[in-house]
Amino acid sequence: MAQNMTDKSRVLIFDTTLRDGEQSPGATMTHDEKLEIAMLLDEMGVDIIEAGFPIASEGDFEAVSEIARRSKNSVICGLSRANYKDIDRCFEAVKHAARPRIHTFIGTSPLHRGITDLDQDQMVARIHDTVTHARNLCEDVQWSAMDAIRTERDYLCRVVETAIKAGATTINIPDTVGYTLPQESADIIAMLLEKVPGADEVIFATHCHNDLGMATANALAAVSAGARQIECTINGLGERAGNTALEEVVMAIKVRKDLMPYQTGIDTTKIMHLSRRVSQVSGFPVQYNKAIVGKNAFLHESGIHQDGVLKNVETFEIMKPADIGITETNIAMGKHSGRAALRSKLKELGFDLADNQLNDVFVRFKALADRKKEIFDEDLIALMTDQVANTDHDYLQVKWLRVVCGSDGQEAELKMLVDGEEKTAKCSGDGPVDAVFRCVKSIYPSKARLKLYQVQAVTAGTDAQATVIVRLEEEGRIASGSAADTDTILASAKAYVGALNRLRVRSQKTAPDADVKTVSYKL
Ligand code: KIV
Ligand code: ZN
């Protein structure tokens, strides 16, 4: 794919939810969750999926390899630092894809050069060698100038030219620290296109972080100046204030065709389902007033707005809920609803299940229907989330729980599986949740500290399910777990155990985060 691709109005969407998004503290996803998200991105029409950082851990490597094997449409890309070992490992993982891509990067700004201990000329040589090496392995090579925005302009032109000459097919210009503003974002792309020899032979990409709340605006400005690949994540997930939100740039291009005469290949009706799934598996709730996918994004509270919308929906709505896949009718299901009704309702909500999956969900649905009179869309979404978040394959599993609480004190008795072995504990505590967490700690001792404990009612009513989110921290690593149940204490136990499972996955990552060290191995 080159900058001079035939359709100049086509903007490629590069999704990095599974790499930059997952790098966000606490957003660790399991292997199965990554696979599920990747398949949804592939079906939605994402052009390139950055599936992970293969050298970071065995788990990342496995996830990238399997996504590469399974994806049908998207280019599958892996990240690597500027050294041969990273690049080789990356190619080993992505080579299974029909269309693999190696993404290699180095920090080019004075601050980043400082931590690599390379002077300007040495860095140019390093870029030449690593991009050439990557290109010898793979036809599709993306090179990124990390912290490009704070790189001296002349030097930026020089490194970009070096990468193009060495064979890079996509050049990414990241605003790594979310520092730029729209005009500057556009000017840099325009300058590179004008000054760098060979610039019209490659695709320029924009990769913006949201530290000043500018990521969407900066990405769109870069496109107006000639960039043809936007790097983004679902819900804007990512380090610190996150990355450009996919749903925002895609809908901005769709809604403002008059000012943004471009197209993406995204089926926007799949956005809402992906947003919910990413929020659920990452444990990062979407803020209520988040653009496009927030709970309130299509709600009209004030009388004037409601009246206007009823008379003509366009008075206060610039897009339709159905454009992003909101089709809920919110007709309740109950214990008399059958398998076929459940299947069709779940399909409407974006969950297309195979027969064996439906059987499992149906059992859980019936159990919920016994405890809760009416089951709404939100209940089903919570049930599906729980089904994926806490599975029978997990290292730690909650098997049984009994809690006694009241004015005489609180005591919990818990049975868990630890790597398949049954263990029990009985503890009292300062409240029922504390008693349960003490049981978990006594069965599976760890140094993890509780950073967040959040309970949200899924729907109204005293029989409502609660979604519990637990975030834990251990030796600088953060992981979240979530669970849903009509019993808040049971959901708390499962969420706590889910976070411990993810912490375990996170501790298996060996390489430092991509944004910190760029050169840790000799060529
Ligand atoms: O923000 C950044 O610079 C990155 C690079 C690794 C592309 O994520
Ligand atoms: Zn980034």
Short mmCIF file of all heavy atoms in Angstrom, two decimals, residues 258-294:
data_model
loop_
_atom_site.label_atom_id
_atom_site.label_comp_id
_atom_site.label_asym_id
_atom_site.label_seq_id
_atom_site.Cartn_x
_atom_site.Cartn_y
_atom_site.Cartn_z
N ASP A 258 -18.87 16.71 4.08
CA ASP A 258 -18.67 17.99 3.39
C ASP A 258 -17.28 18.56 3.64
O ASP A 258 -16.64 19.12 2.76
CB ASP A 258 -19.76 18.98 3.83
CG ASP A 258 -19.85 19.13 5.35
OD1 ASP A 258 -19.47 18.18 6.07
OD2 ASP A 258 -20.28 20.21 5.83
N LEU A 259 -16.79 18.39 4.89
CA LEU A 259 -15.46 18.93 5.22
C LEU A 259 -14.37 17.86 5.16
O LEU A 259 -13.19 18.18 5.06
CB LEU A 259 -15.48 19.53 6.64
CG LEU A 259 -16.39 20.73 6.85
CD1 LEU A 259 -16.33 21.20 8.28
CD2 LEU A 259 -16.00 21.86 5.90
N MET A 260 -14.76 16.61 5.28
CA MET A 260 -13.78 15.50 5.29
C MET A 260 -14.19 14.53 4.16
O MET A 260 -14.85 13.53 4.42
CB MET A 260 -13.82 14.74 6.63
CG MET A 260 -13.51 15.57 7.87
SD MET A 260 -11.79 16.08 8.02
CE MET A 260 -10.90 14.57 8.07
N PRO A 261 -13.81 14.84 2.92
CA PRO A 261 -14.28 14.01 1.79
C PRO A 261 -13.47 12.71 1.66
O PRO A 261 -12.81 12.46 0.65
CB PRO A 261 -14.05 14.92 0.58
CG PRO A 261 -12.93 15.81 0.99
CD PRO A 261 -12.96 15.95 2.48
N TYR A 262 -13.54 11.91 2.68
CA TYR A 262 -12.76 10.65 2.70
C TYR A 262 -13.68 9.49 3.06
O TYR A 262 -14.79 9.69 3.55
CB TYR A 262 -11.63 10.74 3.75
CG TYR A 262 -10.84 12.01 3.65
CD1 TYR A 262 -10.97 13.03 4.60
CD2 TYR A 262 -9.96 12.22 2.58
CE1 TYR A 262 -10.27 14.21 4.49
CE2 TYR A 262 -9.26 13.40 2.46
CZ TYR A 262 -9.42 14.40 3.42
OH TYR A 262 -8.73 15.57 3.30
N GLN A 263 -13.16 8.27 2.87
CA GLN A 263 -13.92 7.08 3.30
C GLN A 263 -13.02 6.17 4.11
O GLN A 263 -11.82 6.10 3.87
CB GLN A 263 -14.37 6.23 2.10
CG GLN A 263 -15.44 6.81 1.24
CD GLN A 263 -14.82 7.44 0.02
OE1 GLN A 263 -13.93 6.86 -0.58
NE2 GLN A 263 -15.26 8.65 -0.30
N THR A 264 -13.67 5.47 5.03
CA THR A 264 -12.97 4.37 5.72
C THR A 264 -13.71 3.09 5.31
O THR A 264 -14.79 3.16 4.73
CB THR A 264 -13.05 4.52 7.25
OG1 THR A 264 -14.39 4.25 7.67
CG2 THR A 264 -12.62 5.90 7.71
N GLY A 265 -13.14 1.96 5.65
CA GLY A 265 -13.81 0.70 5.32
C GLY A 265 -14.61 0.15 6.49
O GLY A 265 -14.93 -1.05 6.53
N ILE A 266 -14.91 1.00 7.47
CA ILE A 266 -15.52 0.51 8.72
C ILE A 266 -17.04 0.36 8.60
O ILE A 266 -17.73 1.28 8.15
CB ILE A 266 -15.19 1.50 9.88
CG1 ILE A 266 -13.67 1.58 10.10
CG2 ILE A 266 -15.89 1.09 11.18
CD1 ILE A 266 -13.00 0.33 10.57
N ASP A 267 -17.53 -0.78 9.04
CA ASP A 267 -18.98 -0.98 9.19
C ASP A 267 -19.35 -0.38 10.55
O ASP A 267 -19.15 -1.00 11.60
CB ASP A 267 -19.28 -2.49 9.14
CG ASP A 267 -20.74 -2.78 9.44
OD1 ASP A 267 -21.49 -1.84 9.75
OD2 ASP A 267 -21.11 -3.97 9.36
N THR A 268 -19.87 0.83 10.52
CA THR A 268 -20.06 1.57 11.78
C THR A 268 -21.12 0.93 12.68
O THR A 268 -21.14 1.20 13.88
CB THR A 268 -20.44 3.05 11.51
OG1 THR A 268 -21.68 3.07 10.82
CG2 THR A 268 -19.39 3.77 10.71
N THR A 269 -21.96 0.09 12.11
CA THR A 269 -23.01 -0.52 12.96
C THR A 269 -22.41 -1.52 13.95
O THR A 269 -23.10 -2.01 14.84
CB THR A 269 -24.08 -1.24 12.12
OG1 THR A 269 -23.46 -2.31 11.42
CG2 THR A 269 -24.75 -0.31 11.13
N LYS A 270 -21.12 -1.81 13.81
CA LYS A 270 -20.50 -2.74 14.75
C LYS A 270 -19.80 -2.00 15.90
O LYS A 270 -19.22 -2.61 16.80
CB LYS A 270 -19.47 -3.62 14.02
CG LYS A 270 -20.04 -4.37 12.82
CD LYS A 270 -19.65 -5.84 12.90
CE LYS A 270 -20.06 -6.65 11.69
NZ LYS A 270 -21.45 -6.94 11.52
N ILE A 271 -19.84 -0.67 15.87
CA ILE A 271 -19.07 0.11 16.85
C ILE A 271 -19.54 -0.12 18.29
O ILE A 271 -18.74 -0.35 19.19
CB ILE A 271 -19.14 1.62 16.49
CG1 ILE A 271 -18.23 1.90 15.29
CG2 ILE A 271 -18.74 2.49 17.68
CD1 ILE A 271 -18.22 3.33 14.82
N MET A 272 -20.84 -0.07 18.53
CA MET A 272 -21.34 -0.11 19.91
C MET A 272 -20.99 -1.43 20.58
O MET A 272 -20.56 -1.47 21.75
CB MET A 272 -22.86 0.11 19.90
CG MET A 272 -23.39 0.49 21.24
SD MET A 272 -22.65 2.03 21.83
CE MET A 272 -22.81 1.80 23.57
N HIS A 273 -21.14 -2.51 19.83
CA HIS A 273 -20.85 -3.82 20.42
C HIS A 273 -19.36 -3.91 20.79
O HIS A 273 -19.00 -4.36 21.88
CB HIS A 273 -21.24 -4.93 19.44
CG HIS A 273 -20.97 -6.29 19.96
ND1 HIS A 273 -21.55 -6.77 21.13
CD2 HIS A 273 -20.16 -7.29 19.52
CE1 HIS A 273 -21.12 -7.99 21.36
NE2 HIS A 273 -20.27 -8.33 20.42
N LEU A 274 -18.51 -3.44 19.87
CA LEU A 274 -17.07 -3.49 20.16
C LEU A 274 -16.71 -2.61 21.35
O LEU A 274 -15.89 -2.99 22.20
CB LEU A 274 -16.30 -3.03 18.93
CG LEU A 274 -15.55 -4.17 18.27
CD1 LEU A 274 -15.27 -3.87 16.83
CD2 LEU A 274 -14.27 -4.51 18.99
N SER A 275 -17.36 -1.45 21.41
CA SER A 275 -17.08 -0.55 22.53
C SER A 275 -17.42 -1.24 23.86
O SER A 275 -16.64 -1.20 24.82
CB SER A 275 -17.91 0.72 22.36
OG SER A 275 -17.97 1.41 23.57
N ARG A 276 -18.58 -1.88 23.90
CA ARG A 276 -18.97 -2.56 25.14
C ARG A 276 -18.02 -3.70 25.48
O ARG A 276 -17.60 -3.86 26.62
CB ARG A 276 -20.37 -3.15 24.98
CG ARG A 276 -21.46 -2.14 25.06
CD ARG A 276 -22.79 -2.86 24.99
NE ARG A 276 -23.88 -1.92 24.96
CZ ARG A 276 -24.94 -2.01 24.14
NH1 ARG A 276 -25.02 -3.00 23.29
NH2 ARG A 276 -25.89 -1.12 24.20
N ARG A 277 -17.67 -4.47 24.46
CA ARG A 277 -16.80 -5.62 24.73
C ARG A 277 -15.42 -5.16 25.23
O ARG A 277 -14.85 -5.74 26.14
CB ARG A 277 -16.63 -6.50 23.48
CG ARG A 277 -17.87 -7.24 23.07
CD ARG A 277 -18.39 -8.17 24.17
NE ARG A 277 -17.47 -9.24 24.52
CZ ARG A 277 -17.17 -9.59 25.78
NH1 ARG A 277 -17.71 -8.96 26.80
NH2 ARG A 277 -16.34 -10.58 26.00
N VAL A 278 -14.89 -4.11 24.59
CA VAL A 278 -13.56 -3.63 25.01
C VAL A 278 -13.64 -3.08 26.43
O VAL A 278 -12.77 -3.34 27.26
CB VAL A 278 -13.00 -2.58 24.01
CG1 VAL A 278 -11.79 -1.86 24.59
CG2 VAL A 278 -12.63 -3.26 22.71
N SER A 279 -14.72 -2.37 26.72
CA SER A 279 -14.87 -1.85 28.08
C SER A 279 -14.94 -3.01 29.08
O SER A 279 -14.30 -2.99 30.14
CB SER A 279 -16.13 -0.99 28.13
OG SER A 279 -16.46 -0.72 29.46
N GLN A 280 -15.70 -4.03 28.72
CA GLN A 280 -15.88 -5.14 29.65
C GLN A 280 -14.59 -5.93 29.85
O GLN A 280 -14.21 -6.24 30.97
CB GLN A 280 -17.00 -6.05 29.13
CG GLN A 280 -18.36 -5.39 29.27
CD GLN A 280 -19.37 -5.89 28.24
OE1 GLN A 280 -19.03 -6.63 27.32
NE2 GLN A 280 -20.61 -5.48 28.40
N VAL A 281 -13.89 -6.25 28.76
CA VAL A 281 -12.71 -7.11 28.95
C VAL A 281 -11.52 -6.32 29.51
O VAL A 281 -10.66 -6.90 30.17
CB VAL A 281 -12.30 -7.88 27.67
CG1 VAL A 281 -13.42 -8.73 27.15
CG2 VAL A 281 -11.77 -6.95 26.59
N SER A 282 -11.49 -5.02 29.28
CA SER A 282 -10.36 -4.24 29.80
C SER A 282 -10.63 -3.76 31.23
O SER A 282 -9.71 -3.37 31.93
CB SER A 282 -10.07 -3.03 28.91
OG SER A 282 -11.17 -2.14 28.96
N GLY A 283 -11.91 -3.79 31.63
CA GLY A 283 -12.26 -3.28 32.96
C GLY A 283 -12.25 -1.76 33.01
O GLY A 283 -12.25 -1.17 34.08
N PHE A 284 -12.23 -1.09 31.85
CA PHE A 284 -12.26 0.37 31.81
C PHE A 284 -13.65 0.84 31.40
O PHE A 284 -14.02 0.74 30.24
CB PHE A 284 -11.23 0.90 30.78
CG PHE A 284 -9.87 1.08 31.36
CD1 PHE A 284 -9.20 0.01 31.91
CD2 PHE A 284 -9.25 2.32 31.34
CE1 PHE A 284 -7.93 0.16 32.45
CE2 PHE A 284 -7.99 2.49 31.88
CZ PHE A 284 -7.33 1.40 32.43
N PRO A 285 -14.44 1.35 32.37
CA PRO A 285 -15.78 1.79 32.01
C PRO A 285 -15.73 2.97 31.03
O PRO A 285 -14.78 3.74 31.05
CB PRO A 285 -16.39 2.23 33.34
CG PRO A 285 -15.35 2.08 34.37
CD PRO A 285 -14.07 1.61 33.75
N VAL A 286 -16.76 3.09 30.20
CA VAL A 286 -16.83 4.22 29.27
C VAL A 286 -17.56 5.35 30.00
O VAL A 286 -18.64 5.12 30.57
CB VAL A 286 -17.63 3.81 28.00
CG1 VAL A 286 -17.84 5.00 27.08
CG2 VAL A 286 -16.91 2.69 27.27
N GLN A 287 -16.98 6.54 29.99
CA GLN A 287 -17.62 7.64 30.71
C GLN A 287 -19.00 7.92 30.10
O GLN A 287 -19.18 7.78 28.88
CB GLN A 287 -16.76 8.90 30.70
CG GLN A 287 -16.75 9.64 29.38
CD GLN A 287 -15.70 10.71 29.30
OE1 GLN A 287 -14.53 10.46 29.55
NE2 GLN A 287 -16.09 11.91 28.93
N TYR A 288 -19.97 8.28 30.93
CA TYR A 288 -21.36 8.43 30.46
C TYR A 288 -21.48 9.42 29.31
O TYR A 288 -22.27 9.24 28.41
CB TYR A 288 -22.27 8.88 31.61
CG TYR A 288 -22.68 7.75 32.53
CD1 TYR A 288 -22.01 6.52 32.51
CD2 TYR A 288 -23.75 7.90 33.41
CE1 TYR A 288 -22.39 5.48 33.35
CE2 TYR A 288 -24.14 6.86 34.25
CZ TYR A 288 -23.45 5.66 34.21
OH TYR A 288 -23.83 4.64 35.04
N ASN A 289 -20.68 10.51 29.36
CA ASN A 289 -20.82 11.52 28.31
C ASN A 289 -19.75 11.39 27.23
O ASN A 289 -19.46 12.34 26.54
CB ASN A 289 -20.80 12.93 28.90
CG ASN A 289 -19.53 13.21 29.67
OD1 ASN A 289 -18.83 12.28 30.06
ND2 ASN A 289 -19.22 14.47 29.88
N LYS A 290 -19.17 10.20 27.08
CA LYS A 290 -18.17 9.98 26.03
C LYS A 290 -18.83 10.12 24.66
O LYS A 290 -19.93 9.60 24.44
CB LYS A 290 -17.60 8.55 26.21
CG LYS A 290 -16.87 7.97 25.02
CD LYS A 290 -15.41 8.39 25.00
CE LYS A 290 -14.66 7.80 23.82
NZ LYS A 290 -15.21 8.19 22.52
N ALA A 291 -18.13 10.83 23.74
CA ALA A 291 -18.67 11.00 22.39
C ALA A 291 -18.94 9.65 21.75
O ALA A 291 -18.18 8.69 21.95
CB ALA A 291 -17.66 11.78 21.54
N ILE A 292 -19.97 9.54 21.02
CA ILE A 292 -20.42 8.38 20.22
C ILE A 292 -20.90 7.20 21.06
O ILE A 292 -22.01 6.72 20.86
CB ILE A 292 -19.32 7.85 19.23
CG1 ILE A 292 -18.56 9.00 18.56
CG2 ILE A 292 -19.90 6.85 18.23
CD1 ILE A 292 -19.33 9.80 17.56
N VAL A 293 -20.09 6.70 22.00
CA VAL A 293 -20.44 5.44 22.66
C VAL A 293 -20.82 5.57 24.14
O VAL A 293 -21.11 4.57 24.79
CB VAL A 293 -19.30 4.40 22.51
CG1 VAL A 293 -19.17 3.94 21.07
CG2 VAL A 293 -17.97 4.96 23.03
N GLY A 294 -20.83 6.79 24.68
CA GLY A 294 -21.22 6.97 26.08
C GLY A 294 -22.71 6.68 26.26
O GLY A 294 -23.49 6.83 25.32
#
